[in-house]
Amino acid sequence: METKVLNTIDEMLSHWEIIQQLYPEITLEKYQSFLKEMIPHNYQQLAVFEHNICIGLTGFWTGIKLWSGKYIEIDNFIVHENHRRKGIGKIMTDYIANLAEQLNCNVIVLDAYTGNFKAHRFYYNQGYAPRGFHFVKTLNKEGLT
């Protein structure tokens, strides 16, 4: 397996199919418009390939918050449904952890939906633990993916 960091919209759009596994309703146009807004804010993606096919993908970005100092955030963590339980998720979390250390981040953060118990178990096994709640107040349901 091979890993590659994606930095451009074209690179990210070329793996559109795997994004659809997490967001089946998102349009290509909406995805592209979001990427145009996200990339200038340090957004990148990590892709895992097997035989030149993307089988794992996660977005990530760095920032600084008062409570944590410098952090890296994992966003939209996807392992292709036909390739789960092969260690791909661990490849991605290990890569992000090594990158976070290189960038002198104090923490790695991520969100997982409250009902996604498989993800919770995976993240616990990778050394992550909940620190609080991510509260959401929806202002525009049509804008959600």
Side-chain angles (χ1 to χ4, degrees):
M1 287 188 226
E2 176 189 354
T3 58
K4 181 180 180 191
V5 173
L6 311 177
N7 295 299
T8 69
I9 289 177
D10 289 339
E11 288 176 312
M12 293 176 194
L13 289 176
S14 69
H15 306 296
W16 160 246
E17 299 82 23
I18 198 163
I19 290 293
Q20 290 179 297
Q21 287 193 7
L22 188 60
Y23 300 109
E25 301 298 319
I26 194 171
T27 65
L28 183 60
E29 293 77 19
K30 187 174 190 178
Y31 180 51
Q32 184 173 15
S33 73
F34 284 173
L35 291 175
K36 285 180 181 177
E37 298 263 347
M38 294 162 68
I39 289 172
H41 297 282
N42 299 322
Y43 182 78
Q44 299 176 71
Q45 292 178 340
L46 172 66
V48 177
F49 296 91
E50 184 177 68
H51 308 297
N52 295 320
I53 297 170
C54 182
I55 58 173
L57 185 76
T58 187
F60 65 93
W61 35 27
T62 58
I64 297 175
K65 293 186 180 188
L66 292 176
W67 74 269
S68 67
K70 190 170 185 182
Y71 69 92
I72 193 165
E73 181 173 355
I74 294 173
D75 195 26
N76 304 311
F77 196 91
I78 309 163
V79 175
H80 189 286
E81 60 192 2
N82 296 333
H83 295 273
R84 294 188 180 144
R85 307 210 40 94
K86 292 183 177 180
I88 296 153
K90 182 161 176 35
I91 289 170
M92 293 193 298
T93 55
D94 287 351
Y95 186 100
I96 296 294
N98 289 332
L99 180 60
E101 286 183 25
Q102 291 172 20
L103 296 173
N104 296 312
C105 293
N106 296 318
V107 296
I108 303 169
V109 299
L110 59 87
D111 289 327
Y113 291 117
T114 54
N116 190 346
F117 301 113
K118 288 180 183 179
H120 300 172
R121 184 173 49 247
F122 172 76
Y123 293 126
Y124 275 119
N125 288 335
Q126 300 306 308
Y128 294 81
R131 170 101 188 241
F133 293 100
H134 189 107
F135 288 93
V136 176
K137 179 179 181 178
T138 302
L139 302 175
N140 177 9
K141 287 184 182 181
E142 288 75 37
L144 301 176
T145 303

